[in-house]
Amino acid sequence: MAEWLSELNYWHWLAFGLALLAVELLGVAGYFLWLGISALAIGLLMLIMPIGWQLQWLSFASFSLMTTWLWWRKQHKIDIKSDDARTLNQKQKQLVGQVIRLEEDIQAGKNRIKVGDTTWAAMSEQDISKGENVEIVRLDGIILHIKIKKN
């Protein structure tokens, strides 16, 4: 086995990298992409300088972990941003900007208001009388921040 491993050259790594990329084309959601790129990088590295088979596999493992981690980190940031901006199936976020007519008097501070068929915790900076139109300006967890809607 060690004899076979010691005969690995850059063509083997390039072929291995292309094979992994071909498997990725079958639609496995990115699992083999970074492994294939890492194998190609080892093949290109071996074009420049020959290295032993132990260092080849260690470099392949290191490149694979590094590229996968870098991609995960980038994708994770994008996912967090898109989650924050998404309003689909998140009723609280859909409420921001909505104008409602109060059914009860509200005092400054924390209150409960009815929005549609649900009651919500609401925070107001001022007293608001019954029948006033208020706008939901912000969402803080499950607390709606409201203010009087000026026409």
Side-chain angles (χ1 to χ4, degrees), residues 58-94:
L58 189 64
S59 299
F60 173 68
S62 300
F63 286 173
S64 296
L65 289 173
M66 186 174 55
T67 55
T68 303
W69 180 75
L70 288 171
W71 175 253
W72 173 83
R73 197 170 131 191
K74 180 179 186 269
Q75 188 63 41
H76 186 66
K77 286 179 184 177
I78 293 170
D79 290 344
I80 288 174
K81 287 178 187 175
S82 67
D83 283 347
D84 290 342
R86 182 180 26 201
T87 60
L88 182 63
N89 294 330
Q90 297 184 11
K91 187 173 183 176
Q92 316 84 293
K93 290 183 180 179
Q94 293 174 356

Side-chain angles (χ1 to χ4, degrees), residues 5 67 100 106:
L5 287 173
T67 55
I100 58 169
I106 296 291

Side-chain angles (χ1 to χ4, degrees), residues 70-137:
L70 288 171
W71 175 253
W72 173 83
R73 197 170 131 191
K74 180 179 186 269
Q75 188 63 41
H76 186 66
K77 286 179 184 177
I78 293 170
D79 290 344
I80 288 174
K81 287 178 187 175
S82 67
D83 283 347
D84 290 342
R86 182 180 26 201
T87 60
L88 182 63
N89 294 330
Q90 297 184 11
K91 187 173 183 176
Q92 316 84 293
K93 290 183 180 179
Q94 293 174 356
L95 293 174
V96 174
Q98 193 173 41
V99 177
I100 58 169
R101 184 176 301 271
L102 289 180
E103 297 178 0
E104 298 176 2
D105 290 338
I106 296 291
Q107 297 168 350
K110 194 171 180 181
N111 301 277
R112 297 218 42 99
I113 62 171
K114 187 171 183 179
V115 180
D117 61 351
T118 308
T119 59
W120 292 85
M123 185 72 79
S124 174
E125 294 178 1
Q126 60 191 18
D127 293 339
I128 306 172
S129 58
K130 175 182 175 180
E132 288 277 349
N133 286 332
V134 294
E135 180 180 9
I136 301 169
V137 292

